[in-house]
Amino acid sequence: DTGVSQDPRHKITKRGQNVTFRCDPISEHNRLYWYRQTLGQGPEFLTYFQNEAQLEKSRLLSDRFSAERPKGSFSTLEIQRTEQGDSAMYLCASSLARDSQETQYFGPGTRLLVL
Amino acid sequence: AQKITQTQPGMFVQEKEAVTLDCTYDTSDQSYGLFWYKQPSSGEMIFLIYQGSYDEQNATEGRYSLNFQKARKSANLVISASQLGDSAMYFCAILGGTSYGKLTFGQGTILTVHP
């Protein structure tokens, strides 16, 4: 059983550029989550999908951020006009709605550095 | 709203000894789940153990056990027989019944295992 995968693992960009990250969840999982983690902090929730529907968005997700899960499988997170404050680890997780624990399994993350 | 407090920024333990990592939580939900994750320096969040709010028994998973004291709102992680590979950041997290998939994490505790 392959775990959650994320691409790229590292991204360095200049301020003002757009970046896009991809997440492939565990194949039978119907829920997918994005979190952001800054240095020395715990992850903070950004958004969550059940199948292709985006059901919850944090106020952290400004209008420069957009996430999609077009066919209910992989998801993309795009950041437009990046700012230095966007530098962080972006973590994706997935879970199975039928699982009473709703355990979220995380990918390796994408480390973003905005210069 | 949910809140997790981890008061130990860092902990040290001798190899083969047991260690307890503290976690207290606050929630208005009657039904909730508590999770512990391990994050090595590589960045991936690894699920360790889960405790449901209605579970009467403390959860155990191999060398990990969760000391759940509901009245005190604490969910401490106990690692027995520490190994060098246990050196990592450890996060406690809560999923409330009304959280719609949003895990709320604490600040984390860095565990260092000495040989």
Side-chain angles (χ1 to χ4, degrees), chain B residues 32-107:
Chain B
Y32 51 88
L34 294 153
F35 300 80
W36 277 91
Y37 286 87
K38 171 184 177 181
Q39 188 175 42
S41 56
S42 58
E44 184 170 357
M45 299 283 286
I46 301 166
F47 166 69
L48 296 178
I49 195 165
Y50 165 86
Q51 179 84 42
S53 57
Y54 293 117
D55 293 343
E56 294 184 354
Q57 303 271 359
N58 283 342
T60 59
E61 286 287 348
R63 294 186 299 111
Y64 305 108
S65 60
L66 204 152
N67 184 0
F68 181 48
Q69 297 186 48
K70 194 170 181 177
R72 298 180 63 181
K73 293 192 172 181
S74 76
N76 299 339
L77 177 70
V78 180
I79 305 174
S80 63
S82 297
Q83 301 172 356
L84 296 178
D86 293 334
S87 293
M89 179 75 96
Y90 288 80
F91 289 99
C92 181
I94 186 169
L95 179 64
T98 59
S99 296
Y100 302 104
K102 172 187 168 183
L103 272 174
T104 299
F105 287 83
Q107 299 273 70

Side-chain angles (χ1 to χ4, degrees), chain A:
Chain A
D1 182 24
T2 55
V4 178
S5 61
Q6 292 186 246
D7 184 68
R9 295 290 306 276
H10 303 271
K11 179 71 177 179
I12 301 173
T13 191
K14 292 182 179 178
R15 190 177 53 188
Q17 298 292 307
N18 299 344
V19 295
T20 300
F21 309 142
R22 176 180 170 125
C23 171
D24 287 89
I26 293 171
S27 57
E28 67 269 26
H29 285 185
N30 54 350
R31 290 184 173 173
L32 187 146
Y33 313 81
W34 285 99
Y35 291 83
R36 182 172 69 186
Q37 184 179 24
T38 53
L39 205 58
Q41 304 292 319
E44 295 176 293
F45 171 83
L46 292 178
T47 189
Y48 133 66
F49 292 85
Q50 176 147 325
N51 301 313
E52 65 274 12
Q54 188 172 21
L55 298 186
E56 185 82 1
K57 287 169 64 172
S58 164
R59 57 182 169 77
L60 292 175
L61 212 67
S62 76
D63 55 7
R64 296 184 299 105
F65 288 70
S66 62
E68 293 183 342
R69 194 183 183 198
K71 296 182 180 179
S73 56
F74 72 92
S75 175
T76 57
L77 177 69
E78 181 183 17
I79 309 174
Q80 296 182 326
R81 306 181 303 282
T82 52
E83 301 172 356
Q84 288 183 327
D86 297 331
S87 295
M89 170 83 96
Y90 290 83
L91 292 162
C92 175
S94 69
S95 71
L96 186 59
R98 290 199 314 271
D99 174 3
S100 61
Q101 294 182 191
E102 290 197 57
T103 299
Q104 296 180 24
Y105 295 92
F106 284 79
T110 295
R111 290 185 192 267
L112 173 66
L113 177 61
V114 182
L115 301 175

